[in-house]
Amino acid sequence: MTRELNKWAFTLDAQQCTGCKTCMVACKDKNNLALGLRWRRVAEYCGGQWMPLPDGTFMQDVFTYYVSVSCNHCMDPICTQVCPTTAMHPDENGIVTVDQGKCMGCRYCEWACPYGAPQFDADAGRMTKCNFCEDYLSEGRSPACVSACPTRALGFGPWDELEKDARSQPDIAPLPDIKITTPCSVLVPHRMSRTQDDVTGTIANPEENKDA
Amino acid sequence: MTDTTCPDKILWSVCNVNCGSRCALRVHVKDGTVVKIETDNTGEDTPGAHEIRACLRGRALRKWIYSPERLLHPLKRTGKRGEGQFARISWEEAIEQIATKLDQVIKTHGNEAVHRIYGTGNLGGVVSGREQIDRLMNLLGGQLNHYNSYSTAQITHGLQYTYGVHECANNLSDMANSKLAVFFGNNTAETRMSGGGSTYDLARVKKQSNVRLIVIDPRHSDTAVLAADEWIPIRPGTDAALVCALAHVLITEDLVDQPFLDRYCVGYDVATMPPGFLAGNSYKEYILGTGPDGIPKTPQWASSITGIPAERIIQLAREIGTAKPAYIAQGWGPQRHANGEQTARAICMLPILTGNVGIQGGNSGGREAPFGFAFPSIPTGSNPVSTSIPCFLWTQAIEDPKGFTDITHGLMGKQHLETPIKFIWSFASNTLVNQHSDIRHTHDILSDETACEMIVLIDNVMTSSATYADIVLPGVSVFEESDLAYQGYGVEMAALILRPKAIEPLGECRTLFEICSDIANRLGVGREFTEDRTRDEWVTYMYHQCRQVRDDLPKNFEQAMQTGLFKWKRQGPPIVGLKDFRENPEAAPLKTPSGKIEIFSKRLWDIAHAWQLPDGDVISALPEYHQTWGMPGTPESARYPLQLIGHHHKQRTHSSYGNNPWLQEAAVQSLWINPLDAEARGISHNDLVCVFNDCGQTQVPAKVTPRIMPGVLSLPQGAWYTPDKQGNDTNGSINILTRQRPSPLAKGNPQHTNLVEVRKVSP
Amino acid sequence: MHSHWSLVAFTLLFQASVGSIWCLLAAHFMINTANTGLPVISHLTAALALSFAGMAAALAHLSNPRAGLFAIANLRHSWLSREIFFVHVHAGALALLIITTPIRPKEFDVFVLSGASLAGAILLYSMSRVYQLKTVPSWNHSGTLLSFVGSALVLGGIQFALVQTICAMTSSTGHDAVTADIYVQAAIIAAVSGSLIKMTLGLYQRFKKKRRPAKSSHWPVFHGSGVILCVIFLLLAKAALVELIALSLAAIILVGGEISHRIAFYHSYDRVGL
């Protein structure tokens, strides 16, 4: 079996995502994450203009959608490339993992990853990140975030199978250009979604995704 | 870090706060400690047999039960009310003090002076619920009743007059049979977030049918994000004006269902007016401007009121008038206003005018109907006191009992209140301060210790209300007692969850049953209270009562406890509200006096003439639009030009879990403000701002977002009042800004009717 | 972003060290007779001291310094690994030079110094590549390398000039006027050119049209004043004390400018994506 056949990928039907953050909290509970660590995050992407009319009414073209992101366990992960110690590495299942013994806590991967996946655990002095709930996978169970999703927007599956089914690759804002890291994830865009080069919207909840 | 990988046991439990859903949890326990919380994982996860997946709040419960603010011992107040100074006392001392005071108040003032105030922090627990206090009080001669809820007072009353019932909606899944769906508010995705309940249902029905959905809301809600094809922003409190204009188009363009109106309704036009009423009082005349006010309710008239361009109103009317069946529904936000009863009734006019009531794929205009079985609650006995107040007016009943009458304050059972409230029970309730309007005024009322003499509060953590209690009792959390829980709001499935005690009570925490038993014993009604059953025996007893409703439940209670979660798929097509009436109005008349849909309500006409209302309050026989206090165009709007509503927030269920750090991190408390309003005030995203009016002020970070319409702010309701030295709030608690003035008819809480101003707090 | 004081110190200290070795090499090429007036050992010792301080700052940046042993495990892919490797090569070369001074024929100095200078250059290049991440557009351009070279010239030049001046003043053969010292003049010119590079870059980045507005912009005030002082020093000063004061002032201002510039650099971090 080639490595790609073993590789797992998350799927997100962004149309079904209400931004509820259950995935994020289920992940925190499963992994006992301290405040500040968000192995899964939900970006609220929002934009549009309001135009007041003379009669006191308004026209608007507001749009909003949510994108739940953890680690995409990329085919070409930038975190493993930049890591000086090789602590950040893909394991035999392609799951990008931090070797806690090798990580020197330089936080360089945190700078590089365009998804904000590697996160610094100040207590341990090491980087931490989504491990795809590898323990659950080995028991034949879904990752905690997937089985938590109230609207069943999140899913997962073998990357080589999903890749063929993928209706669209995640080239929507605020996600980065997929050419940077070749993320192993499949995203069905929201009907209001904007393309990656959009400048009309912004991430509306930065403070919920990352500590200042 | 605790090793969470191999728990000693995994037990069923439930999240039972008041979002109305009730989600199954699987509690992982290791060495007597909860180490992980998972949710339902049973079944194939197909619709009707789907997993009842908890939302983020249920999944964060560990941080709630092990909160540093967790109450572990009985406390007695030592400082002034609200100061939060307490001394630890023994259970014996606490029970003795409560029993002595209760006995004295009853003897001195009568049972009407005792009141368990509204509270829903533990909802859906059967043996663990607030009914234990009612049962105890009924054995002791009763207590002052309340009616209404803080959720639905206005719609419940309003729809009673139109339809004779307030629960008369179709299932949400019936949207799949509709050609168009229109939601007024109805923010399922943030109010009923369960992955087994309404949000699951809405996501599924939209995905399955892709029915066109229009959401009308001042805020681009997450429901709009999930399912709306179009969002029409509207000024708060003006839904009735929009409906009037839509009706105007429907009538003038002949898009109304005249045969339906003729056969099923009273008061649409002169032909169906009740006898004795002169021309000019019908709905059609009101809309066309031939009624007493002489104003045609044209789209142009409504556009400046609602903020919606007239062309859009005309288009919407045509869309509604030509799509049949249409699923027109309202949530509970539009009605939580000073004119909420009228708004609730007005929205129902759209399905009535278009004949969408009582048909598959249609709806009555109410909120989606849930599905479930009528499982029993514990017998509370009967209350010898018949006097009942609207739950929102308990402060009035302390402050001014003499002025509390049937025609001014909706008092039931008596014409005048004879005694003020002297003793308050507050169980799992933050209504005492946080969820009640006008916190500063409530503070003043409660500060007078000679008015309400005793406040006994039972909760899990030191809430802002708890700081006002005289005796604070540590209640067990949901994981520390066994109980049953019935299905919450869901459409495709009913459920019963049996939960064992997962962990031992923390500290000296006790169950409500134990607390009430001890007081009952002390006051000589111990055996009557327990009926010689232990708490566990009560749980078993109630389970067997459930078996009377569902005989497919196992005979053996222990076996049922092992299974834990029982689900029943709803059979057949989605339920249609008022179906029998639609099929045969003569054989199945409505519970209105005429048996028909009362567009014109003679009962309301009579009430409008009999009741004494403050200036500006209107009760009308027709579902009319009236501007009220707290809206743009009123004198106070010169000083406070912004409307303020308080949407439901992911972080909390009302105020429940408001101190949970994981939830605070996931969903921050912030004031939603449109970029146009923010720019005019020099406010940038995440700036600390002060929201204020004559009631008080609060500080909170700003969320500058186009998702709220200009002129409107939204401050998520339920954040815990955290006063500074002056009593101003520092935590974005909306009720520092709301008023205690009730709505005209229901005497309900108009907590979305507020005018405020906002300014940046200089750093 | 977390606090960057350790990275500010680390990068500046090593850039100073590399720059001063470049000046030393340049000085070597200017020697016509025996290296009169060129205190090689002092220059090398000063550069090595800065390198050690830089390494200490780098260690302080790590939360788990023990795993630092693995820091050069990813030379194949990671520019950070390469940077760390060349940090050690550079410092090692300096140490080697100092240790072998008494036993080494003087003619070899230039070769060994050239080697150390080359290691320093590669170090600077690796250092700039560490920041040229494709996910960080605000850093991912040749301006980062230019800026680091500019810093090396500014800091190295001023360091060299200071060491040279102090040695000259304290030596028994002391000079009357240091301005006469061709080495110092050369070093000052290096510092001035470095400053000009940085000023040009600062102005270019400030006025360049950008899709994403820069998080912080930096006016080259410090460098401008530093350059003026250097010019005053070169043109006007004739008395040793005035020279030293002017040079010290220029040094303080330029180092201050470098620190402030570097802090602004870290603040300009702006990554694509989430």
Side-chain angles (χ1 to χ4, degrees):
Chain A
M1 217 187 238
T2 66
R3 208 194 82 186
E4 281 70 25
L5 283 176
N6 274 331
K7 202 158 169 61
W8 293 103
F10 285 114
T11 63
L12 172 70
D13 182 350
Q15 180 58 66
Q16 302 300 313
C17 180
T18 64
C20 72
K21 316 254 180 118
T22 307
C23 48
M24 175 177 164
V25 173
C27 172
K28 290 195 77 123
D29 184 57
K30 193 255 173 183
N31 296 298
N32 257 323
L33 300 184
L35 284 180
L37 291 177
R38 305 162 175 94
W39 288 0
R40 195 170 261 287
R41 307 154 300 288
V42 184
E44 174 193 352
Y45 195 73
C46 176
Q49 298 292 317
W50 282 83
M51 194 169 60
L53 302 176
D55 61 353
T57 65
F58 296 94
M59 302 281 280
Q60 50 81 25
D61 58 353
V62 174
F63 67 90
T64 313
Y65 57 93
Y66 293 98
V67 184
S68 170
V69 182
S70 62
C71 170
N72 292 304
H73 302 281
C74 304
M75 292 301 283
D76 193 12
I78 194 167
C79 57
T80 63
Q81 284 165 27
V82 303
C83 175
T85 65
T86 67
M88 191 69 86
H89 68 286
D91 72 6
E92 64 276 12
N93 295 318
I95 293 169
V96 179
T97 310
V98 185
D99 182 337
Q100 296 289 310
K102 280 187 181 173
C103 177
M104 61 183 193
C106 70
R107 304 179 70 167
Y108 188 38
C109 49
E110 185 186 359
W111 271 359
C113 173
Y115 302 95
Q119 299 190 2
F120 184 66
D121 179 348
D123 294 333
R126 313 283 204 282
M127 296 309 294
T128 63
K129 64 181 289 302
C130 161
N131 56 17
F132 222 114
C133 289
E134 208 156 359
D135 50 342
Y136 283 7
L137 291 180
S138 67
E139 296 164 14
R141 301 172 59 194
S142 308
C145 53
V146 172
S147 59
C149 181
T151 57
R152 282 66 169 171
L154 280 174
F156 79 109
W159 169 239
D160 57 340
E161 286 174 27
L162 289 169
E163 202 186 9
K164 286 174 215 137
D165 297 344
R167 268 167 51 195
S168 162
Q169 282 301 297
D171 61 349
I172 66 164
L175 297 175
D177 187 343
I178 58 164
K179 287 195 283 292
I180 299 175
T181 61
T182 322
C184 289
S185 61
V186 177
L187 187 139
V188 179
H190 189 274
R191 71 187 172 293
M192 289 191 263
S193 65
R194 299 297 195 264
T195 51
Q196 192 254 318
D197 56 357
D198 176 67
V199 290
T200 62
T202 51
I203 297 176
N205 64 338
E207 56 286 329
E208 290 175 349
N209 297 324
K210 203 169 191 304
D211 286 355
Chain B
M1 197 190 275
T2 328
D3 174 23
T4 58
T5 47
C6 341
D8 303 333
K9 49 186 179 180
I10 301 174
L11 301 164
W12 282 107
S13 194
V14 70
C15 177
N16 63 349
V17 291
N18 184 21
C19 66
S21 315
R22 210 141 293 129
C23 296
L25 302 175
R26 288 164 53 250
V27 182
H28 293 231
V29 179
K30 192 176 173 69
D31 301 329
T33 304
V34 179
V35 292
K36 187 161 64 180
I37 295 169
E38 292 186 321
T39 192
D40 182 12
N41 63 349
T42 59
E44 294 299 305
D45 203 25
T46 52
H50 53 273
E51 295 168 2
I52 307 175
R53 295 189 183 178
C55 78
L56 72 164
R57 299 184 289 253
R59 302 299 295 264
L61 262 170
R62 216 149 52 94
K63 290 283 166 186
W64 163 263
I65 60 164
Y66 296 119
S67 153
E69 287 105 43
R70 182 73 199 266
L71 295 166
L72 298 172
H73 309 283
L75 301 171
K76 182 182 157 184
R77 182 170 57 81
T78 54
K80 288 183 190 155
R81 282 185 182 156
E83 281 184 350
Q85 289 172 24
F86 291 92
R88 181 175 164 181
I89 55 172
S90 69
W91 270 107
E92 292 68 32
E93 198 182 333
I95 297 295
E96 181 59 31
Q97 286 202 18
I98 295 165
T100 308
K101 188 68 191 175
L102 190 56
D103 194 40
Q104 183 225 319
V105 166
I106 291 172
K107 282 183 178 139
T108 318
H109 302 279
N111 284 75
E112 275 183 24
V114 181
H115 185 60
R116 176 185 63 73
I117 63 165
Y118 179 87
T120 59
N122 176 331
L123 201 68
V126 178
V127 180
S128 58
R130 59 194 183 189
E131 291 79 11
Q132 297 288 359
I133 294 175
D134 297 346
R135 183 177 162 82
L136 169 70
M137 286 315 302
N138 289 345
L139 289 169
L140 295 172
Q143 63 172 326
L144 181 65
N145 292 295
H146 61 241
Y147 65 92
N148 285 348
S149 73
Y150 276 62
S151 299
T152 59
Q154 291 93 324
I155 192 173
T156 305
H157 282 257
L159 266 58
Q160 287 278 2
Y161 290 96
T162 301
Y163 290 124
V165 287
H166 64 271
E167 282 168 347
C168 51
N170 294 29
N171 282 160
L172 191 61
S173 47
D174 206 18
M175 271 172 65
N177 301 315
S178 312
K179 294 214 171 66
L180 173 72
V182 180
F183 285 3
F184 287 81
N186 206 12
N187 181 15
T188 296
E190 284 167 283
T191 55
R192 296 175 174 179
M193 293 176 62
S194 167
S198 299
T199 294
Y200 170 82
D201 295 328
L202 179 64
R204 198 179 60 84
V205 72
K206 174 67 183 174
K207 189 176 181 180
Q208 203 180 42
S209 67
N210 203 25
V211 58
R212 177 168 160 75
L213 171 65
I214 298 169
V215 167
I216 301 166
D217 195 316
R219 187 174 153 264
H220 193 238
S221 65
D222 287 343
T223 300
V225 173
L226 171 66
D229 297 277
E230 190 177 348
W231 171 49
I232 300 181
I234 184 169
R235 286 205 183 94
T238 68
D239 304 70
L242 172 63
V243 171
C244 288
L246 294 169
H248 193 276
V249 179
L250 291 171
I251 293 169
T252 53
E253 299 194 1
D254 199 20
L255 293 168
V256 296
D257 187 342
Q258 190 69 43
F260 176 80
L261 292 163
D262 291 342
R263 184 174 178 201
Y264 293 90
C265 306
V266 167
Y268 168 65
D269 50 23
V270 182
T272 54
M273 281 297 284
F277 285 93
L278 298 173
N281 285 310
S282 75
Y283 185 73
K284 190 173 177 181
E285 290 162 295
Y286 167 74
I287 296 296
L288 296 178
T290 53
D293 70 359
I295 302 168
K297 310 301 179 300
T298 62
Q300 288 71 25
W301 166 83
S303 64
S304 58
I305 299 171
T306 58
I308 307 169
E311 305 76 57
R312 187 67 200 92
I313 297 177
I314 295 166
Q315 281 169 15
L316 179 62
R318 289 176 184 157
E319 212 174 336
I320 291 171
T322 55
K324 201 165 179 181
Y327 190 97
I328 298 164
Q330 62 181 307
W332 296 343
Q335 58 94 45
R336 206 169 297 121
H337 277 279
N339 58 6
E341 300 91 344
Q342 297 287 40
T343 298
R345 293 186 71 217
I347 292 166
C348 294
M349 284 311 299
L350 292 174
I352 292 170
L353 290 167
T354 51
N356 272 303
V357 178
I359 60 171
Q360 200 79 59
N363 185 32
S364 61
R367 192 170 193 181
E368 75 272 4
F371 167 70
F373 300 117
F375 289 123
S377 30
I378 61 156
T380 55
S382 61
N383 188 352
V385 176
S386 59
T387 321
S388 187
I389 60 169
C391 64
F392 181 56
L393 296 186
W394 63 273
T395 33
Q396 186 75 23
I398 297 173
E399 195 184 20
D400 182 21
K402 292 214 165 52
F404 204 118
T405 74
D406 52 351
I407 58 167
T408 56
H409 294 85
L411 184 66
M412 289 186 187
K414 269 196 182 146
Q415 289 184 314
H416 292 271
L417 200 58
E418 281 162 20
T419 171
I421 295 172
K422 288 286 177 187
F423 188 112
I424 284 179
W425 283 106
S426 174
F427 170 70
S429 171
N430 212 349
T431 308
L432 189 67
V433 173
N434 211 72
Q435 297 306 96
H436 192 52
S437 293
D438 200 348
I439 289 174
R440 297 196 68 142
H441 189 53
T442 309
H443 168 89
D444 292 343
I445 291 168
L446 295 179
S447 293
D448 181 357
E449 294 173 25
T450 62
C452 179
E453 293 170 9
M454 179 66 137
I455 301 168
V456 178
L457 182 138
I458 304 142
D459 213 320
N460 290 160
V461 294
M462 184 55 85
T463 62
S464 29
S465 290
T467 63
Y468 283 80
D470 301 308
I471 302 277
V472 176
L473 301 178
V476 292
S477 78
V478 67
F479 297 153
E480 295 153 44
E481 60 183 341
S482 62
D483 205 352
L484 320 170
Y486 307 148
Q487 71 275 329
Y489 294 125
V491 173
E492 297 307 309
M493 185 168 73
L496 173 70
I497 305 167
L498 277 69
R499 60 172 212 251
K501 185 202 265 187
I503 52 168
E504 287 304 312
L506 266 61
E508 289 188 273
C509 291
R510 285 193 187 173
T511 65
L512 185 60
F513 177 83
E514 288 171 279
I515 296 168
C516 290
S517 305
D518 286 352
I519 294 169
N521 268 327
R522 167 66 180 66
L523 294 174
V525 290
R527 284 196 68 180
E528 290 85 341
F529 181 80
T530 61
E531 293 180 23
D532 287 330
R533 289 189 195 99
T534 64
R535 195 186 178 285
D536 284 347
E537 284 164 355
W538 267 103
V539 176
T540 314
Y541 170 75
M542 291 309 297
Y543 170 73
H544 288 294
Q545 297 295 110
C546 291
R547 289 194 61 243
Q548 316 244 322
V549 180
R550 290 301 311 189
D551 58 8
D552 53 348
L553 285 165
K555 279 203 181 79
N556 181 299
F557 173 72
E558 276 71 35
Q559 190 197 327
M561 213 38 147
Q562 284 289 316
T563 309
L565 174 58
F566 299 89
K567 302 176 189 174
W568 294 273
K569 184 181 165 89
R570 187 185 55 72
Q571 304 295 331
I575 293 167
V576 173
L578 308 179
K579 185 165 181 259
D580 296 346
F581 167 71
R582 183 67 191 259
E583 282 168 358
N584 193 339
E586 289 76 29
L590 296 181
K591 286 175 184 156
T592 55
S594 62
K596 294 186 175 184
I597 296 170
E598 297 198 343
I599 299 172
F600 179 96
S601 166
K602 183 169 179 305
R603 282 189 294 170
L604 285 176
W605 175 279
D606 294 340
I607 287 172
H609 287 85
W611 283 18
Q612 291 170 16
L613 297 170
D615 279 353
D617 277 15
V618 176
I619 296 174
S620 62
L622 292 172
E624 299 169 359
Y625 169 71
H626 290 281
Q627 186 193 49
T628 63
W629 58 270
M631 289 179 76
T634 54
E636 64 172 321
S637 68
R639 274 186 305 150
Y640 302 115
L642 298 167
Q643 287 183 277
L644 174 73
I645 57 172
H647 68 271
H648 287 44
H649 194 27
K650 301 160 195 174
Q651 187 198 99
R652 302 175 296 270
T653 299
H654 306 299
S655 74
S656 295
Y657 309 147
N659 66 337
N660 187 323
W662 276 355
L663 299 177
Q664 289 173 336
E665 177 186 48
V668 303
Q669 176 73 3
S670 55
L671 176 81
W672 289 46
I673 180 170
N674 185 280
L676 298 178
D677 296 321
E679 200 184 341
R681 291 163 179 79
I683 294 167
S684 309
H685 183 74
N686 226 11
D687 278 351
L688 188 65
V689 296
C690 176
V691 198
F692 60 99
N693 62 14
D694 286 341
C695 293
Q697 55 175 274
T698 180
Q699 292 194 356
V700 65
K703 180 183 176 89
V704 179
T705 172
R707 294 181 67 183
I708 186 92
M709 80 181 290
V712 184
L713 308 175
S714 188
L715 184 57
Q717 63 101 356
W720 290 11
Y721 172 56
T722 311
D724 62 12
K725 285 204 176 73
Q726 286 76 44
N728 294 318
D729 179 56
T730 57
N731 194 38
S733 184
I734 191 173
N735 285 319
I736 197 86
L737 302 163
T738 55
R739 289 169 69 173
Q740 286 186 1
R741 179 173 174 171
S743 65
L745 176 66
K747 306 301 175 191
N749 44 319
Q751 283 170 317
H752 297 315
T753 302
N754 308 290
L755 286 174
V756 298
E757 181 52 285
V758 58
R759 64 178 157 79
K760 184 176 171 175
V761 176
S762 12
Chain C
M1 294 252 311
H2 50 283
S3 162
H4 293 301
W5 70 266
S6 51
L7 291 178
V8 170
F10 163 74
T11 53
L12 291 179
L13 287 164
F14 264 97
Q15 283 159 10
S17 171
V18 170
S20 70
I21 297 305
W22 288 351
C23 289
L24 189 59
L25 180 67
H28 254 278
F29 285 120
M30 288 189 269
I31 297 170
N32 28 31
T33 57
N35 48 352
T36 331
L38 187 61
V40 177
I41 289 290
S42 303
H43 284 297
L44 288 174
T45 312
L48 188 61
L50 290 187
S51 296
F52 281 148
M55 285 164 135
L59 274 178
H61 173 70
L62 303 181
S63 323
N64 181 27
R66 258 178 297 171
L69 293 171
F70 298 102
I72 54 167
N74 198 10
L75 288 173
R76 261 183 73 192
H77 300 290
S78 169
W79 280 106
L80 180 53
S81 228
R82 293 167 195 164
E83 179 197 37
I84 295 165
F85 179 72
F86 283 106
V87 155
H88 289 89
V89 171
H90 173 74
L94 296 185
L96 192 72
L97 276 171
I98 295 170
I99 294 165
T100 57
T101 304
I103 53 170
R104 167 181 84 221
K106 287 270 180 266
E107 306 81 77
F108 285 8
D109 275 17
V110 69
F111 298 108
V112 190
L113 262 180
S114 299
S117 298
L118 185 63
I122 300 172
L123 165 59
L124 276 201
Y125 179 72
S126 307
M127 195 183 269
S128 77
R129 288 302 299 267
V130 164
Y131 296 92
Q132 289 176 47
L133 290 163
K134 56 187 167 183
T135 53
V136 186
S138 54
W139 289 347
N140 190 20
H141 46 74
S142 51
T144 302
L145 175 60
L146 269 176
S147 162
F148 284 4
V149 170
S151 295
L153 291 175
V154 173
L155 295 167
I158 210 83
Q159 183 206 332
F160 185 94
L162 273 176
V163 171
Q164 185 74 17
T165 308
I166 292 165
C167 288
M169 287 178 73
T170 50
S171 76
S172 50
T173 59
H175 295 230
D176 291 337
V178 203
T179 29
D181 190 331
I182 183 170
Y183 306 132
V184 175
Q185 284 175 1
I188 292 295
I189 288 164
V192 169
S193 5
S195 297
L196 290 174
I197 291 174
K198 299 215 66 169
M199 286 163 73
T200 317
L201 272 174
L203 289 170
Y204 173 71
Q205 279 169 9
R206 201 175 165 82
F207 294 110
K208 185 174 61 171
K209 219 178 173 180
K210 267 178 248 153
R211 211 193 92 194
R212 296 147 76 99
K215 278 190 180 169
S216 65
S217 51
H218 182 75
W219 276 105
V221 179
F222 283 103
H223 287 101
S225 340
V227 167
I228 294 166
L229 275 165
C230 287
V231 172
I232 292 172
F233 167 81
L234 285 178
L235 298 181
L236 301 177
K238 290 289 172 227
L241 194 62
V242 180
E243 281 166 1
L244 190 63
I245 291 170
L247 197 57
S248 306
L249 262 179
I252 290 166
I253 287 170
L254 285 174
V255 170
E258 281 298 318
I259 291 171
S260 123
H261 207 162
R262 192 53 48 85
I263 291 170
F265 171 79
Y266 284 111
H267 277 285
S268 72
Y269 170 82
D270 193 7
R271 193 191 60 206
V272 299
L274 295 178

